[in-house]
Amino acid sequence: MSVDTRIPDTEPPEIVAEEGTGRRRISRSTAIELFGIPVLVVVGFLLYVWWRQTATLDSIEASSLAWPDVRLQLWQHVKLTIVASLIVVAIAVPLGTLLTRPRLKFLAPIVVGVANAGQAAPSIGLIVLLFMWLSSWSGFWVAIAALTLYGVLPVLRNTITGLQGVDPTLVEAGRGVGLSGLAVLFRIELPLALPVIMAGIRTALVLVVGTAALATFVNAGGLGGVITAGITLYRYPVMVAGAVLIALLALLVEWVGRVLELLVRPKGI
């Protein structure tokens, strides 16, 4: 009697999603992440609403957590995140692409070093210094400038890493069939580097959401105002409520980045 000595397949099960005429495989862990995070955010927000409606708050706490004020600060926080993230992508992806071209490759360490220095600076100090330096700007755009400096590095670094990681033989094959350098970039290099680039964008999104809480110090609004009010007034329920709302928003934004990554990822990668 023969004994089956084959090693069982331990790969996680996959879910096959139809997409047009193609098929895209999504691992079970990814599917759980895609469906689990929105559920977690909704449950967390409903628990916050329940606590807000049933908690015994004094007049100061109730005023700090008034629904109109929270909705306004939430919208300001989302607006800061969206605008800063779009600017980060518009700057970092083209710049990272240029820095992988042969003529400009020598500048890559210098630019990444400058970006590292910008992110290493204390966030609150950077925002205040920019506010003093750009005194003619509104607080919103000062905050956008600071958030952009903080968010550029992950996207820039991942763009460079992703493009440098493309197999050179594929690039040569593209050129061998008559594609121009620009066509090779858009049809071969960028699609293959896209998963790495999108990972950097997701990191930048979460970083921008968290740092946007400091925009309140330059009158740019945001949910940081709730936390600041709680600290200033020694009202810990207010402070914790602001932190919970920012955490839920960060989870939601990270989930949006994950969905975008799956949507734009080329089939077969």
Side-chain angles (χ1 to χ4, degrees):
M1 181 178 64
S2 62
V3 178
D4 187 358
T5 59
R6 290 177 298 175
I7 299 175
D9 186 8
T10 58
E11 292 293 325
E14 293 181 324
I15 297 174
V16 180
E18 297 290 341
E19 184 180 341
T21 57
R23 297 165 69 87
R24 176 165 296 186
R25 295 188 176 273
I26 302 175
S27 67
R28 186 173 296 276
S29 61
T30 301
I32 292 174
E33 180 183 359
L34 289 178
F35 294 104
I37 290 179
V39 172
L40 179 61
V41 171
V42 170
V43 171
F45 183 72
L46 290 177
L47 287 174
Y48 169 81
V49 172
W50 172 80
W51 170 83
R52 175 65 181 83
Q53 296 298 113
T54 59
T56 302
L57 305 175
D58 60 32
S59 59
I60 296 177
E61 293 170 345
S63 176
S64 299
L65 296 176
W67 287 112
D69 293 337
V70 171
R71 283 196 298 268
L72 175 61
Q73 292 172 340
L74 177 60
W75 165 241
Q76 291 170 338
H77 207 108
V78 171
K79 186 165 65 171
L80 285 166
T81 301
I82 292 175
V83 174
S85 299
L86 290 176
I87 295 175
V88 164
V89 173
I91 292 175
V93 174
L95 181 59
T97 302
L98 287 175
L99 292 176
T100 59
R101 303 304 92 187
R103 293 182 179 180
L104 298 177
K105 191 178 294 185
F106 72 96
L107 292 175
I110 300 174
V111 175
V112 173
V114 172
N116 272 317
Q119 195 177 54
S123 53
I124 181 62
L126 179 62
I127 291 177
V128 172
L129 285 175
L130 285 175
F131 184 72
M132 295 171 60
W133 181 39
L134 305 172
S135 56
S136 61
W137 291 23
S138 67
F140 175 81
W141 288 110
V142 171
I144 290 297
L147 293 174
T148 300
L149 287 175
Y150 263 83
V152 159
L153 178 60
V155 184
L156 177 64
R157 185 169 51 201
N158 278 41
T159 300
I160 295 174
T161 301
L163 289 172
Q164 289 178 341
V166 175
D167 190 345
T169 58
L170 297 177
V171 177
E172 292 300 324
R175 290 175 180 167
V177 297
L179 295 179
S180 65
L182 200 59
V184 169
L185 174 64
F186 283 100
R187 298 178 63 178
I188 297 177
E189 294 184 82
L190 282 176
L192 292 175
L194 197 57
V196 180
I197 296 173
M198 287 302 303
I201 292 176
R202 289 171 59 197
T203 301
L205 283 172
V206 176
L207 188 62
V208 168
V209 170
T211 310
L214 301 174
T216 187
F217 292 106
V218 293
N219 298 322
L223 289 170
V226 179
I227 298 178
T228 303
I231 295 173
T232 304
L233 301 173
Y234 296 98
R235 296 300 196 275
Y236 295 106
V238 177
M239 180 175 58
V240 172
V244 168
L245 289 174
I246 292 175
L248 292 175
L249 182 59
L251 280 174
L252 186 60
V253 167
E254 203 278 338
W255 173 78
V256 171
R258 181 61 168 158
V259 171
L260 289 176
E261 178 183 350
L262 291 176
L263 289 177
V264 301
R265 176 179 291 186
K267 300 171 187 178
I269 296 181

Short mmCIF file of all heavy atoms in Angstrom, two decimals, residues 15-53:
data_model
loop_
_atom_site.label_atom_id
_atom_site.label_comp_id
_atom_site.label_asym_id
_atom_site.label_seq_id
_atom_site.Cartn_x
_atom_site.Cartn_y
_atom_site.Cartn_z
N ILE A 15 -10.50 34.02 -3.17
CA ILE A 15 -11.80 34.34 -3.73
C ILE A 15 -11.57 34.88 -5.12
O ILE A 15 -10.76 35.79 -5.31
CB ILE A 15 -12.53 35.38 -2.85
CG1 ILE A 15 -12.78 34.79 -1.47
CG2 ILE A 15 -13.82 35.83 -3.50
CD1 ILE A 15 -13.37 35.76 -0.49
N VAL A 16 -12.28 34.35 -6.09
CA VAL A 16 -12.12 34.78 -7.46
C VAL A 16 -13.22 35.78 -7.78
O VAL A 16 -14.40 35.46 -7.67
CB VAL A 16 -12.20 33.59 -8.43
CG1 VAL A 16 -12.03 34.07 -9.87
CG2 VAL A 16 -11.12 32.58 -8.08
N ALA A 17 -12.82 37.00 -8.14
CA ALA A 17 -13.79 38.03 -8.47
C ALA A 17 -13.78 38.27 -9.96
O ALA A 17 -12.72 38.43 -10.56
CB ALA A 17 -13.44 39.33 -7.74
N GLU A 18 -14.95 38.26 -10.55
CA GLU A 18 -15.06 38.52 -11.98
C GLU A 18 -14.88 40.00 -12.24
O GLU A 18 -15.42 40.83 -11.54
CB GLU A 18 -16.44 38.08 -12.48
CG GLU A 18 -16.70 36.59 -12.32
CD GLU A 18 -15.87 35.77 -13.27
OE1 GLU A 18 -15.39 36.33 -14.27
OE2 GLU A 18 -15.70 34.56 -13.01
N GLU A 19 -14.13 40.33 -13.27
CA GLU A 19 -13.91 41.73 -13.62
C GLU A 19 -13.87 41.83 -15.14
O GLU A 19 -12.86 41.56 -15.77
CB GLU A 19 -12.60 42.23 -13.01
CG GLU A 19 -12.37 43.69 -13.27
CD GLU A 19 -11.06 44.14 -12.66
OE1 GLU A 19 -10.55 43.46 -11.78
OE2 GLU A 19 -10.56 45.19 -13.08
N GLY A 20 -15.00 42.21 -15.72
CA GLY A 20 -15.07 42.24 -17.17
C GLY A 20 -14.93 40.83 -17.70
O GLY A 20 -15.63 39.91 -17.32
N THR A 21 -13.97 40.66 -18.57
CA THR A 21 -13.71 39.33 -19.12
C THR A 21 -12.56 38.64 -18.40
O THR A 21 -12.20 37.52 -18.74
CB THR A 21 -13.36 39.45 -20.62
OG1 THR A 21 -12.22 40.33 -20.75
CG2 THR A 21 -14.53 40.04 -21.39
N GLY A 22 -11.95 39.33 -17.42
CA GLY A 22 -10.84 38.75 -16.69
C GLY A 22 -11.27 38.26 -15.34
O GLY A 22 -12.39 38.43 -14.90
N ARG A 23 -10.37 37.61 -14.67
CA ARG A 23 -10.63 37.08 -13.34
C ARG A 23 -9.52 37.57 -12.42
O ARG A 23 -8.35 37.49 -12.75
CB ARG A 23 -10.66 35.55 -13.37
CG ARG A 23 -11.79 35.00 -14.23
CD ARG A 23 -11.56 33.54 -14.53
NE ARG A 23 -11.71 32.72 -13.33
CZ ARG A 23 -12.87 32.24 -12.92
NH1 ARG A 23 -13.97 32.53 -13.59
NH2 ARG A 23 -12.95 31.48 -11.85
N ARG A 24 -9.90 38.09 -11.27
CA ARG A 24 -8.94 38.61 -10.31
C ARG A 24 -9.05 37.82 -9.03
O ARG A 24 -10.13 37.67 -8.48
CB ARG A 24 -9.21 40.09 -10.06
CG ARG A 24 -8.30 40.69 -9.00
CD ARG A 24 -8.34 42.19 -9.02
NE ARG A 24 -7.83 42.70 -10.27
CZ ARG A 24 -7.65 43.99 -10.52
NH1 ARG A 24 -7.94 44.88 -9.62
NH2 ARG A 24 -7.18 44.39 -11.69
N ARG A 25 -7.94 37.30 -8.55
CA ARG A 25 -7.94 36.49 -7.34
C ARG A 25 -7.64 37.36 -6.14
O ARG A 25 -6.69 38.13 -6.14
CB ARG A 25 -6.91 35.36 -7.45
CG ARG A 25 -7.26 34.35 -8.54
CD ARG A 25 -6.35 33.14 -8.51
NE ARG A 25 -6.77 32.15 -9.49
CZ ARG A 25 -7.67 31.22 -9.25
NH1 ARG A 25 -8.27 31.16 -8.08
NH2 ARG A 25 -8.00 30.35 -10.19
N ILE A 26 -8.48 37.21 -5.12
CA ILE A 26 -8.32 37.96 -3.88
C ILE A 26 -8.19 36.95 -2.75
O ILE A 26 -9.06 36.08 -2.60
CB ILE A 26 -9.51 38.89 -3.63
CG1 ILE A 26 -9.69 39.87 -4.79
CG2 ILE A 26 -9.34 39.65 -2.33
CD1 ILE A 26 -10.91 40.74 -4.66
N SER A 27 -7.13 37.02 -1.99
CA SER A 27 -6.95 36.09 -0.89
C SER A 27 -8.03 36.30 0.16
O SER A 27 -8.62 37.38 0.27
CB SER A 27 -5.56 36.26 -0.27
OG SER A 27 -5.46 37.51 0.37
N ARG A 28 -8.27 35.26 0.95
CA ARG A 28 -9.31 35.37 1.98
C ARG A 28 -8.95 36.45 3.00
O ARG A 28 -9.84 37.16 3.48
CB ARG A 28 -9.48 34.01 2.68
CG ARG A 28 -10.63 33.99 3.68
CD ARG A 28 -10.86 32.59 4.21
NE ARG A 28 -11.28 31.68 3.16
CZ ARG A 28 -12.53 31.55 2.74
NH1 ARG A 28 -13.49 32.30 3.27
NH2 ARG A 28 -12.83 30.68 1.80
N SER A 29 -7.67 36.57 3.34
CA SER A 29 -7.28 37.61 4.29
C SER A 29 -7.56 39.01 3.75
O SER A 29 -8.00 39.90 4.48
CB SER A 29 -5.79 37.47 4.64
OG SER A 29 -4.98 37.63 3.48
N THR A 30 -7.33 39.19 2.43
CA THR A 30 -7.64 40.48 1.82
C THR A 30 -9.14 40.74 1.82
O THR A 30 -9.59 41.86 2.09
CB THR A 30 -7.11 40.53 0.38
OG1 THR A 30 -5.69 40.33 0.40
CG2 THR A 30 -7.41 41.88 -0.26
N ALA A 31 -9.92 39.71 1.53
CA ALA A 31 -11.38 39.86 1.54
C ALA A 31 -11.88 40.22 2.94
O ALA A 31 -12.76 41.08 3.09
CB ALA A 31 -12.03 38.57 1.06
N ILE A 32 -11.31 39.58 3.96
CA ILE A 32 -11.70 39.91 5.34
C ILE A 32 -11.35 41.35 5.65
O ILE A 32 -12.13 42.08 6.28
CB ILE A 32 -11.01 38.95 6.32
CG1 ILE A 32 -11.57 37.53 6.14
CG2 ILE A 32 -11.20 39.42 7.76
CD1 ILE A 32 -10.86 36.48 6.97
N GLU A 33 -10.18 41.79 5.19
CA GLU A 33 -9.77 43.18 5.42
C GLU A 33 -10.71 44.15 4.71
O GLU A 33 -11.13 45.16 5.28
CB GLU A 33 -8.34 43.38 4.92
CG GLU A 33 -7.81 44.80 5.10
CD GLU A 33 -6.43 44.97 4.52
OE1 GLU A 33 -5.87 43.98 4.00
OE2 GLU A 33 -5.91 46.09 4.57
N LEU A 34 -11.07 43.83 3.47
CA LEU A 34 -11.92 44.74 2.69
C LEU A 34 -13.31 44.87 3.29
O LEU A 34 -13.90 45.96 3.28
CB LEU A 34 -12.03 44.23 1.25
CG LEU A 34 -10.78 44.37 0.38
CD1 LEU A 34 -11.02 43.80 -1.00
CD2 LEU A 34 -10.37 45.84 0.27
N PHE A 35 -13.85 43.78 3.79
CA PHE A 35 -15.21 43.82 4.34
C PHE A 35 -15.20 44.07 5.85
O PHE A 35 -16.20 44.57 6.39
CB PHE A 35 -15.94 42.52 4.02
CG PHE A 35 -16.20 42.32 2.56
CD1 PHE A 35 -15.44 41.43 1.82
CD2 PHE A 35 -17.18 43.05 1.91
CE1 PHE A 35 -15.68 41.25 0.47
CE2 PHE A 35 -17.43 42.88 0.56
CZ PHE A 35 -16.67 41.99 -0.17
N GLY A 36 -14.12 43.70 6.51
CA GLY A 36 -14.09 43.83 7.96
C GLY A 36 -13.86 45.25 8.46
O GLY A 36 -14.47 45.69 9.44
N ILE A 37 -12.98 46.00 7.76
CA ILE A 37 -12.67 47.34 8.23
C ILE A 37 -13.89 48.27 8.18
O ILE A 37 -14.16 48.99 9.15
CB ILE A 37 -11.49 47.93 7.43
CG1 ILE A 37 -10.20 47.19 7.79
CG2 ILE A 37 -11.33 49.43 7.70
CD1 ILE A 37 -8.97 47.67 7.05
N PRO A 38 -14.66 48.30 7.07
CA PRO A 38 -15.86 49.16 7.09
C PRO A 38 -16.83 48.79 8.21
O PRO A 38 -17.43 49.67 8.84
CB PRO A 38 -16.49 48.94 5.72
CG PRO A 38 -15.38 48.44 4.87
CD PRO A 38 -14.50 47.65 5.78
N VAL A 39 -16.99 47.48 8.46
CA VAL A 39 -17.88 47.05 9.54
C VAL A 39 -17.35 47.55 10.88
O VAL A 39 -18.10 48.05 11.73
CB VAL A 39 -18.01 45.51 9.55
CG1 VAL A 39 -18.76 45.04 10.79
CG2 VAL A 39 -18.71 45.04 8.29
N LEU A 40 -16.03 47.44 11.08
CA LEU A 40 -15.42 47.90 12.32
C LEU A 40 -15.62 49.41 12.50
O LEU A 40 -15.93 49.87 13.61
CB LEU A 40 -13.93 47.57 12.31
CG LEU A 40 -13.12 48.00 13.53
CD1 LEU A 40 -13.64 47.32 14.79
CD2 LEU A 40 -11.63 47.70 13.33
N VAL A 41 -15.46 50.16 11.40
CA VAL A 41 -15.63 51.62 11.49
C VAL A 41 -17.08 51.97 11.81
O VAL A 41 -17.36 52.82 12.66
CB VAL A 41 -15.19 52.29 10.17
CG1 VAL A 41 -15.58 53.77 10.16
CG2 VAL A 41 -13.69 52.15 9.98
N VAL A 42 -18.02 51.31 11.16
CA VAL A 42 -19.44 51.59 11.40
C VAL A 42 -19.82 51.24 12.84
O VAL A 42 -20.48 52.02 13.54
CB VAL A 42 -20.32 50.81 10.41
CG1 VAL A 42 -21.79 50.90 10.80
CG2 VAL A 42 -20.13 51.35 9.00
N VAL A 43 -19.36 50.07 13.30
CA VAL A 43 -19.66 49.67 14.68
C VAL A 43 -19.04 50.65 15.67
O VAL A 43 -19.68 51.06 16.65
CB VAL A 43 -19.16 48.23 14.94
CG1 VAL A 43 -19.26 47.89 16.43
CG2 VAL A 43 -19.97 47.23 14.12
N GLY A 44 -17.79 51.05 15.41
CA GLY A 44 -17.13 52.01 16.29
C GLY A 44 -17.86 53.34 16.34
O GLY A 44 -18.03 53.93 17.41
N PHE A 45 -18.31 53.81 15.18
CA PHE A 45 -19.03 55.09 15.15
C PHE A 45 -20.38 54.98 15.84
O PHE A 45 -20.80 55.91 16.56
CB PHE A 45 -19.20 55.56 13.71
CG PHE A 45 -19.85 56.92 13.60
CD1 PHE A 45 -19.15 58.06 13.96
CD2 PHE A 45 -21.16 57.03 13.17
CE1 PHE A 45 -19.74 59.31 13.88
CE2 PHE A 45 -21.76 58.28 13.08
CZ PHE A 45 -21.06 59.43 13.43
N LEU A 46 -21.09 53.86 15.63
CA LEU A 46 -22.37 53.68 16.31
C LEU A 46 -22.18 53.62 17.83
O LEU A 46 -23.02 54.16 18.58
CB LEU A 46 -23.05 52.40 15.81
CG LEU A 46 -23.56 52.45 14.37
CD1 LEU A 46 -24.14 51.09 13.97
CD2 LEU A 46 -24.59 53.55 14.20
N LEU A 47 -21.12 52.99 18.28
CA LEU A 47 -20.83 52.97 19.72
C LEU A 47 -20.54 54.39 20.23
O LEU A 47 -20.96 54.76 21.33
CB LEU A 47 -19.64 52.05 20.00
CG LEU A 47 -19.90 50.55 19.88
CD1 LEU A 47 -18.59 49.77 20.05
CD2 LEU A 47 -20.93 50.10 20.91
N TYR A 48 -19.82 55.19 19.41
CA TYR A 48 -19.57 56.58 19.80
C TYR A 48 -20.89 57.36 19.90
O TYR A 48 -21.10 58.11 20.85
CB TYR A 48 -18.64 57.25 18.79
CG TYR A 48 -18.55 58.75 18.98
CD1 TYR A 48 -17.72 59.29 19.96
CD2 TYR A 48 -19.33 59.62 18.21
CE1 TYR A 48 -17.66 60.66 20.16
CE2 TYR A 48 -19.27 60.99 18.40
CZ TYR A 48 -18.44 61.50 19.37
OH TYR A 48 -18.38 62.86 19.58
N VAL A 49 -21.77 57.16 18.91
CA VAL A 49 -23.06 57.86 18.93
C VAL A 49 -23.86 57.45 20.17
O VAL A 49 -24.46 58.29 20.85
CB VAL A 49 -23.85 57.57 17.65
CG1 VAL A 49 -25.27 58.13 17.74
CG2 VAL A 49 -23.14 58.16 16.44
N TRP A 50 -23.88 56.13 20.44
CA TRP A 50 -24.60 55.64 21.62
C TRP A 50 -24.04 56.26 22.89
O TRP A 50 -24.78 56.71 23.76
CB TRP A 50 -24.52 54.13 21.68
CG TRP A 50 -25.07 53.55 22.96
CD1 TRP A 50 -26.39 53.33 23.29
CD2 TRP A 50 -24.30 53.14 24.10
NE1 TRP A 50 -26.50 52.82 24.55
CE2 TRP A 50 -25.23 52.69 25.08
CE3 TRP A 50 -22.94 53.11 24.39
CZ2 TRP A 50 -24.82 52.22 26.32
CZ3 TRP A 50 -22.53 52.62 25.61
CH2 TRP A 50 -23.46 52.19 26.57
N TRP A 51 -22.70 56.28 23.00
CA TRP A 51 -22.08 56.88 24.20
C TRP A 51 -22.42 58.37 24.29
O TRP A 51 -22.75 58.86 25.38
CB TRP A 51 -20.56 56.70 24.13
CG TRP A 51 -19.84 57.50 25.18
CD1 TRP A 51 -19.65 57.15 26.48
CD2 TRP A 51 -19.25 58.79 25.02
NE1 TRP A 51 -18.96 58.15 27.15
CE2 TRP A 51 -18.72 59.16 26.26
CE3 TRP A 51 -19.13 59.66 23.93
CZ2 TRP A 51 -18.06 60.37 26.47
CZ3 TRP A 51 -18.48 60.87 24.13
CH2 TRP A 51 -17.97 61.22 25.38
N ARG A 52 -22.36 59.07 23.15
CA ARG A 52 -22.63 60.51 23.16
C ARG A 52 -24.05 60.81 23.59
O ARG A 52 -24.31 61.80 24.28
CB ARG A 52 -22.34 61.08 21.77
CG ARG A 52 -22.69 62.55 21.60
CD ARG A 52 -21.82 63.42 22.48
NE ARG A 52 -22.18 64.83 22.33
CZ ARG A 52 -23.18 65.43 22.98
NH1 ARG A 52 -23.93 64.71 23.82
NH2 ARG A 52 -23.43 66.71 22.81
N GLN A 53 -24.99 59.97 23.20
CA GLN A 53 -26.39 60.20 23.52
C GLN A 53 -26.76 59.81 24.95
O GLN A 53 -27.73 60.33 25.50
CB GLN A 53 -27.29 59.44 22.54
CG GLN A 53 -27.16 59.89 21.09
CD GLN A 53 -27.57 61.34 20.91
OE1 GLN A 53 -26.76 62.19 20.60
NE2 GLN A 53 -28.85 61.63 21.10
#
